[in-house]
Amino acid sequence: MGIDITVFKGSYTGRIVKGSSHKDDVTRDDVLVKVTHSGVCGTDCHYTRADMVLGHEGVGIVQAVGPDVSVLKVGDRVGWGYNHSGCGHCLQCRTGWIGNCEEAHSFGKTELDQGSFGSHAVWKEEALFHIPEGMASADAAPLMCAGITVFAPLILNNVKPLDCVGVIGIGGLGHLAIQMAAKMGCEVVAFSGTEAKRDEAMALGASHFYATKGVKEIKVHRQIDHLLVTTSKHPDWEMYLKIMAHHGSIYPLTVSTEPLSIPYLPFLLNNISFVGTTGGPLYLYRQMLDFAAFHKIKPVIQEFPMTVDGITDALDKLETGEMRYRGVLLAD
């Protein structure tokens, strides 16, 4: 039996193609989810030339559960992100870091026949999270990747309300980072290339704004304790190291193949930390969703139909920088 599902895949030509896949009846701790919404992430652009189903910011309704599912039930509204499951026994899995498991199942690596760009998907219960009441599914979808990406470094590195948090880039990640840091009670400093996004950044919760294009030195009112880098290209590290507080931390949050090259002495003498971060442990997704729901943190979204044309349009806007700020696909 099972179910035939519709999927949208990358291809060797880079064009989005519509296809189909088959999922057997759920067993063990499997959960069948009917997709209603999917975020569109920059990582999806990296796989448009791969023969795989795209999408890893999914939200939908539980349609069937395996016999070992203990919490979720049919009709529940759930979301999922980049990581799907681990071995369940190693230290990383036991502490919730399934993405760091040597046997991790994740987007672009395993289960290439399904994703959030499709009608349905089957995932392990541990990788699915209840969407809070009152949170719209279209708002929840981008949080499953973009939300956890900016929330995790703030929580895991003990950012305090007394801290000054800088955010470089006001886009898909940056506009969420500003909101989350502000709601944590931090003084938030936004950095963007031009003045174009000043008013929006301040409305999102920034306390200060600096335009940096063509600037060699920034004169900030206060040094930065934590700096979230959300731009696709590396910033001028020398310029930003000058405004970091002693023992400050820098968090590069986007995928880049460029070597990391920084001025050594300012980094060393000021005890600066560069912290790699890719999402967070499973429990943090629950906390992130609850935090966003309580504080009414919402992504700024553009909606597209979940069709070949809709997905193509969304990915084109994302790659050309026209997206404001997260794309969301709506299933039929």
Side-chain angles (χ1 to χ4, degrees):
M1 286 287 288
I3 183 174
D4 293 321
I5 66 176
T6 299
V7 296
F8 296 92
K9 309 165 61 177
S11 67
Y12 298 116
T13 65
R15 297 180 63 183
I16 303 302
V17 297
K18 184 178 181 179
S20 62
S21 183
H22 180 80
K23 294 306 210 182
D24 293 331
D25 290 331
V26 291
T27 61
R28 298 184 177 180
D29 57 345
D30 291 337
V31 178
L32 172 66
V33 181
K34 178 176 173 55
V35 179
T36 61
H37 298 76
S38 174
V40 181
C41 179
T43 305
D44 293 312
C45 297
H46 299 162
Y47 291 96
T48 55
R49 293 187 177 274
D51 182 22
M52 58 169 279
V53 182
L54 302 176
H56 58 278
E57 294 182 336
V59 171
I61 306 298
V62 173
Q63 281 203 329
V65 298
D68 296 335
V69 171
S70 59
V71 176
L72 296 177
K73 60 185 184 300
V74 173
D76 282 350
R77 193 166 56 116
V78 296
W80 73 90
Y82 197 90
N83 298 309
H84 307 153
S85 65
C87 71
H89 306 292
C90 69
L91 176 62
Q92 302 303 325
C93 286
R94 292 296 191 185
T95 54
W97 289 90
I98 61 173
N100 295 134
C101 172
E102 293 294 331
E103 301 175 23
H105 287 218
S106 58
F107 177 72
K109 181 179 177 182
T110 57
E111 290 89 31
L112 303 182
D113 64 335
Q114 63 174 359
S116 58
F117 290 14
S119 63
H120 300 75
V122 175
W123 306 114
K124 299 295 184 183
E125 182 182 30
E126 69 172 347
L128 295 169
F129 306 92
H130 275 117
I131 303 301
E133 291 293 330
M135 177 180 285
S137 294
D139 292 333
L143 297 180
M144 301 314 302
C145 181
I148 194 68
T149 296
V150 299
F151 186 75
L154 296 172
I155 297 300
L156 297 176
N157 295 283
N158 299 312
V159 174
K160 302 180 291 296
L162 296 174
D163 289 338
C164 184
V165 175
V167 178
I168 303 179
I170 304 168
L173 294 177
H175 87 288
L176 286 170
I178 290 171
Q179 293 182 72
M180 289 187 173
K183 291 300 184 182
M184 289 177 183
C186 300
E187 188 172 357
V188 181
V189 182
F191 301 94
S192 187
T194 70
E195 293 282 344
K197 298 179 181 178
R198 174 185 287 273
D199 290 345
E200 192 165 15
M202 302 299 281
L204 290 168
S207 306
H208 309 276
F209 179 95
Y210 297 93
T212 60
K213 187 175 182 180
V215 173
K216 292 300 181 184
E217 182 180 4
I218 307 173
K219 295 183 179 181
V220 294
H221 70 294
R222 176 186 174 187
Q223 291 183 311
I224 307 298
D225 298 298
H226 300 272
L227 182 65
L228 278 63
V229 183
T230 73
T231 49
S232 58
K233 292 185 178 181
H234 293 190
D236 181 344
W237 292 120
E238 183 174 0
M239 181 172 70
Y240 281 102
L241 282 174
K242 291 178 181 177
I243 64 172
M244 293 298 298
H246 294 287
H247 302 280
S249 297
I250 298 175
Y251 312 92
L253 300 181
T254 53
V255 175
S256 173
T257 57
E258 297 177 50
L260 178 61
S261 178
I262 60 172
Y264 182 70
L265 278 180
F267 159 72
L268 180 71
L269 297 178
N270 293 305
N271 300 102
I272 303 299
S273 298
F274 274 77
V275 184
T277 175
T278 53
L282 294 176
Y283 73 84
L284 207 59
Y285 284 80
R286 172 77 277 138
Q287 292 180 337
M288 178 272 297
L289 288 168
D290 288 343
F291 182 84
F294 180 79
H295 290 286
K296 295 180 172 51
I297 294 171
K298 298 180 180 181
V300 176
I301 63 172
Q302 288 182 251
E303 296 181 343
F304 304 84
M306 193 179 290
T307 62
V308 168
D309 289 343
I311 294 169
T312 301
D313 187 21
L315 292 172
D316 285 346
K317 281 185 168 55
L318 188 58
E319 293 203 88
T320 58
E322 298 175 48
M323 188 74 77
R324 289 294 183 95
Y325 284 108
R326 302 296 295 192
V328 176
L329 303 175
L330 308 183
D332 293 335

